[in-house]
Amino acid sequence: MNKINIIAPSLLSANFANLERDIKFCEEGGAEMLHLDIMDNHFVPNLTFGPLILQHIKPITNLQISTHLMVTNPDSLIPQFAELGSDLISFHCEAIPHIHRTISLIQSYGKKAGVALNPLTPIEYAYEAAEFADFILLMTVNPGFGGQSFIPNFYNRIDKLTNQLHKINRTNVLIEVDGGIKIENAREIVDAGANILVSGSGVFKGNIVENIKLMKNELEK
Ligand code: DX5
Ligand code: ZN
């Protein structure tokens, strides 16, 4: 039974004029990881930031970095994000045909490789990938924006994925869940089998330190 439960605030909802301050609040609240949402205005209808942000963040924090590539050409960005210090890198299986190649590329830098699935992508797409990936990222909103509502078909999907991980003896593969996660639903998402909870608006709206502490309390109940 995997017992890793980590909160990863998504910087997409942070105040970019005060990014260092918000990262320090994440540390103070007890977050273990930061989540970077990389959007290319092609795979998703929004544009965020590139490797430069990581270059500036890395010297000011020891938190683990999880980079979520919502881009049509992840292979061209992976080397930079890996070299700048991402610990985990995920890419979307809907974006590219050569999933094994991209997993191998990430792992060749000694980083954890994750395959991300949109909410209505058949969960079976993760079954083969789970033989090789270090984690699977289940989207619980359509990627592209923070502040959307959690799509509850997730519960059925994580059940199927967890069963498959047992079946193929890959229970060490972590499950990251991203989108619409708040203090109120964090407990049931972890109970369903999630290991890494990404939360943007749930953390950054209001008191960041307090929100993370309350979310962590939910996980410890
Ligand atoms: C959505 C991003 C998420 C987003 C989550 O495309 O991948 O990481 O920042 O934001 P909330 O928690 O507000 O749904
Ligand atoms: Zn994300």
Side-chain angles (χ1 to χ4, degrees), residues 17-30:
N18 290 288
L19 199 50
E20 182 169 9
R21 181 202 66 185
D22 281 6
I23 289 171
K24 293 299 158 197
F25 283 153
C26 290
E27 291 175 351
E28 203 183 320

Side-chain angles (χ1 to χ4, degrees), residues 10 35-37 68 70 137 139 178 198:
S10 162
H35 181 89
L36 301 185
D37 286 305
H68 177 193
M70 287 161 276
L137 194 172
M139 290 304 300
D178 185 2
V198 177

Side-chain angles (χ1 to χ4, degrees), residues 120-218:
L120 265 62
T121 297
I123 192 67
E124 288 77 10
Y125 273 48
Y127 287 8
E128 301 286 339
E131 300 269 3
F132 302 94
D134 300 293
F135 67 105
I136 303 293
L137 194 172
L138 296 181
M139 290 304 300
T140 38
V141 298
N142 295 306
F145 302 93
Q148 304 180 84
S149 300
F150 184 90
I151 301 176
N153 72 341
F154 156 79
Y155 293 104
N156 184 25
R157 289 163 68 71
I158 197 169
D159 271 356
K160 288 186 186 170
L161 177 58
T162 305
N163 286 339
Q164 176 67 8
L165 294 179
H166 277 96
K167 199 167 147 193
I168 63 173
N169 206 15
R170 292 279 291 160
T171 51
N172 56 330
V173 173
L174 299 176
I175 302 178
E176 183 175 21
V177 183
D178 185 2
I181 300 178
K182 315 277 180 207
I183 295 160
E184 296 73 32
N185 59 6
R187 178 75 241 171
E188 59 193 46
I189 293 166
V190 160
D191 282 346
N195 303 111
I196 304 172
L197 299 190
V198 177
S199 179
S201 46
V203 162
F204 290 99
K205 209 169 162 191
N207 185 320
I208 299 169
V209 176
E210 197 62 22
N211 287 339
I212 297 173
K213 282 188 177 164
L214 288 170
M215 206 176 274
K216 282 176 76 86
N217 281 347
E218 286 297 314

Side-chain angles (χ1 to χ4, degrees), residues 22-73:
D22 281 6
I23 289 171
K24 293 299 158 197
F25 283 153
C26 290
E27 291 175 351
E28 203 183 320
E32 292 91 349
M33 188 181 277
L34 294 174
H35 181 89
L36 301 185
D37 286 305
I38 314 303
M39 304 183 187
D40 66 352
N41 193 32
H42 191 230
F43 179 66
V44 292
N46 199 1
L47 187 63
T48 56
F49 37 77
L52 186 66
I53 190 170
L54 186 53
Q55 194 180 321
H56 287 271
I57 284 172
K58 203 59 189 173
I60 63 156
T61 185
N62 289 322
L63 295 181
Q64 293 187 70
I65 304 288
S66 163
T67 299
H68 177 193
L69 298 173
M70 287 161 276
V71 302
T72 42
N73 189 4

